[in-house]
Amino acid sequence: MKLYSKPGACSTADHIALQWTGQPYEVELLDKDTLKAPAFLAINPAGSVPAVVDGDFILTQNAAIMGYIADTYPQAGLAGDGSAQQRAEATRWLSFVNSDLHPAFSPLFGPGKFIEDDSQYDAIRAAAHKRLRGLFERADAQLADRPWLAGFRSFADPYFYITLRWAAGAKVDLSGLDNIAAYKKRMDADAGVQATLKAEGLS
């Protein structure tokens, strides 16, 4: 299995998940130029990461790739213990990160996609900060009595961790969210996370 990733992008979460499987894999790191080069566009015409190539099978979209990694290497337990309920719980939190949390950063990264009037950019960013704070408060409450979002280490956790790194870079207010702070500290110390960040030049 080969993953195409861009350091610090959401694809870094898939890289962590692959590292957690303990199985062999390849990673090719891309930048803004190689993302749009013909070689990669032949794999993903959208010119975005992540993308996975496994033999003659090509898969894009982060949530789908996480599920594929979990199903390919079930012994890693990234979708739970094999029960429908644990897989659903892991997928619930993967969906929260993929559908709610990740898109909420978009106004910070590219306010021009939402409004042409650049005098309104600060207002858009302020609204995004407020929404992100609310979403992180929800995650903090979820982590109050459990070490992982789903209650067990799952494919939701690497993705959530990457959003915490984005939050730090974007100066999203996470003050007082002690459960998230403890969670991030655990993730920072995780050997698989450390190996991934080193491989992507992020440590």
Side-chain angles (χ1 to χ4, degrees):
M1 190 181 300
K2 181 175 181 177
L3 170 70
Y4 291 84
S5 182
K6 182 175 182 287
C10 64
S11 54
T12 303
D14 303 274
H15 193 169
I16 294 170
L18 282 169
Q19 187 70 27
W20 278 356
T21 69
Q23 300 302 308
Y25 64 90
E26 296 178 68
V27 174
E28 183 170 332
L29 300 179
L30 305 175
D31 57 25
K32 62 182 180 60
D33 295 322
T34 49
L35 273 171
K36 306 304 180 184
F40 183 64
L41 291 176
I43 294 167
N44 184 8
S48 62
V49 290
V52 156
V53 176
D54 193 10
D56 58 1
F57 180 59
I58 297 173
L59 186 63
T60 61
Q61 298 295 334
N62 210 338
I65 289 171
M66 285 296 197
Y68 185 70
I69 292 170
D71 292 342
T72 302
Y73 306 113
Q75 67 275 18
L78 296 180
D81 60 7
S83 68
Q85 287 190 356
Q86 284 210 351
R87 184 178 180 85
E89 191 63 27
T91 302
R92 179 217 303 261
W93 289 101
L94 177 65
S95 299
F96 167 76
V97 180
N98 187 71
S99 300
D100 294 338
L101 194 50
H102 183 165
F105 279 92
S106 294
L108 299 184
F109 297 154
K113 295 178 181 177
F114 298 88
I115 193 168
E116 293 183 3
D117 183 358
D118 58 9
S119 70
Q120 297 299 311
Y121 285 4
D122 286 346
I124 288 176
R125 292 189 181 104
H129 274 270
K130 183 178 180 180
R131 172 161 171 73
L132 284 163
R133 172 71 190 197
L135 291 168
F136 280 117
E137 286 175 353
R138 181 180 170 197
D140 189 73
Q142 173 68 7
L143 291 166
D145 58 355
R146 51 182 64 81
W148 308 99
L149 282 174
F152 52 89
R153 191 179 77 166
S154 76
F155 47 38
D157 292 295
Y159 203 170
F160 182 61
Y161 174 71
I162 293 304
T163 69
L164 292 176
R165 290 177 61 90
W166 295 345
K171 295 181 169 53
V172 175
D173 178 18
L174 300 182
S175 61
L177 303 184
D178 295 340
N179 301 318
I180 282 180
Y183 174 93
K184 186 175 185 299
K185 186 176 181 180
R186 290 194 301 273
M187 288 290 286
D188 285 338
D190 180 89
V193 171
Q194 290 182 349
T196 299
L197 296 181
K198 183 177 180 180
E200 295 204 2
L202 297 169
S203 57

